[in-house]
């Protein structure tokens, strides 16, 4: 799974910032029910941090579900949704 990609590739956790990948509804709902979420525009963030202020963010963009790591101090979730929409839409 991509949540551990940074360790598999021998990279620091910050290397994952800006990367996103598609997930399905069951994965989205599984993480939503793990810990109390931090709700944000388009979805939620995990309460538990990867490191420092980096946390997994789960978003619904259009009909699809996505996961990305974000810095809770300086990453605007609404901008993440817009970025994913631009990067993945065919229009």
């Amino acid at each position: 799974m991509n949540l551990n990609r940074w360790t598999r590739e021998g990279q620091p956790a910050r290397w994952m910032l800006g990367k996103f990948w598609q997930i399905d509804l069951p994965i989205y709902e599984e993480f939503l029910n793990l810990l109390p979420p931090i709700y944000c525009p388009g979805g939620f963030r995990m309460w538990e941090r990867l490191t420092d202020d980096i946390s997994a963010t789960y978003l619904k963009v259009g009909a699809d579900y996505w996961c990305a790591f974000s810095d809770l101090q300086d990453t605007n979730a609404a901008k993440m949704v817009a970025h994913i929409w631009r990067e993945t839409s065919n229009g």
Side-chain angles (χ1 to χ4, degrees), residues 14-90:
R14 287 202 160 285
W15 180 75
M16 290 297 292
L17 293 176
K19 293 174 175 46
F20 57 90
W21 56 95
Q22 193 166 5
I23 59 174
D24 59 19
L25 178 59
I27 291 172
Y28 182 92
E29 289 177 339
E30 178 181 347
F31 282 94
L32 179 61
N33 293 316
L34 278 179
L35 297 169
I38 301 170
Y39 290 101
C40 63
F44 66 95
R45 292 175 163 156
M46 294 299 296
W47 187 264
E48 185 177 86
R49 308 297 195 268
L50 173 64
T51 184
D52 300 321
D53 283 327
I54 298 174
S55 180
T57 301
Y58 296 85
L59 303 166
K60 184 174 189 297
V61 180
D64 299 317
Y65 295 88
W66 300 88
C67 182
F69 281 115
S70 61
D71 187 316
L72 298 177
Q73 296 300 314
D74 65 12
T75 305
N76 180 302
K79 288 183 180 180
M80 288 175 67
V81 169
H83 174 76
I84 292 170
W85 182 261
R86 281 192 309 272
E87 292 291 317
T88 61
S89 68
N90 294 324

